[in-house]
Amino acid sequence: QVQLVESGGGLVQAGGSLRLSCAASGRSFSLYAMGWFRQAPGKEREFVAVISQSGGSTDYADSVKGRFTISRDNAKNTVDLQMNSLKSEDTAVYYCAAGRRLISREVEYWGQGTQVTVSS
């Protein structure tokens, strides 16, 4: 089992920045690719970013490329999402996710989510 706890959400003006963090506990953090998904009101949950087990490979949704950066620290069991140039359409609940095949969007564990609200 892997437990995931997100932090860092909040209210920010358009054009601003936020940094989300996810702390993982449980078994063998480095065995899991880590990622972020988001769900806006009335919409389906969608992929945002993923980072491989070693941190050597990342992938992003087209909508956030060039604005968001995912990183991980295997010594601290954490994964972060740096979000810059935020837009109102980035408003959503952001979920941390873990999965051995998360590169293929196969999620094994979810966090509880953290709200990000971007005001225009």
Side-chain angles (χ1 to χ4, degrees):
Q1 279 282 52
V2 175
Q3 293 81 41
L4 304 173
V5 179
E6 302 98 333
S7 60
L11 174 64
V12 63
Q13 288 189 331
S17 298
L18 274 178
R19 188 176 184 90
L20 304 183
S21 292
C22 175
S25 60
R27 301 180 59 184
S28 305
F29 177 74
S30 62
L31 291 180
Y32 294 88
M34 300 295 298
W36 292 91
F37 291 70
R38 66 186 182 187
Q39 188 167 18
K43 295 188 176 181
E44 293 188 352
R45 193 171 299 189
E46 65 176 5
F47 165 76
V48 175
V50 63
I51 188 166
S52 64
Q53 283 84 339
S54 67
S57 178
T58 58
D59 191 22
Y60 297 91
D62 287 344
S63 59
V64 307
K65 277 181 183 175
R67 300 188 298 121
F68 291 11
T69 302
I70 189 170
S71 60
R72 67 187 293 162
D73 186 333
N74 284 349
K76 296 181 179 179
N77 286 9
T78 58
V79 59
D80 292 348
L81 185 69
Q82 178 65 44
M83 305 186 294
N84 299 329
S85 302
L86 283 160
K87 307 175 181 180
S88 57
E89 51 263 45
D90 294 317
T91 294
V93 177
Y94 283 71
Y95 295 90
C96 180
R100 285 164 289 183
R101 291 197 268 184
L102 192 59
I103 294 291
S104 301
R105 315 294 187 258
E106 295 181 28
V107 178
E108 296 182 60
Y109 301 100
W110 292 101
Q112 84 287 351
T114 186
Q115 177 70 48
V116 171
T117 303
V118 183
S119 63
S120 55

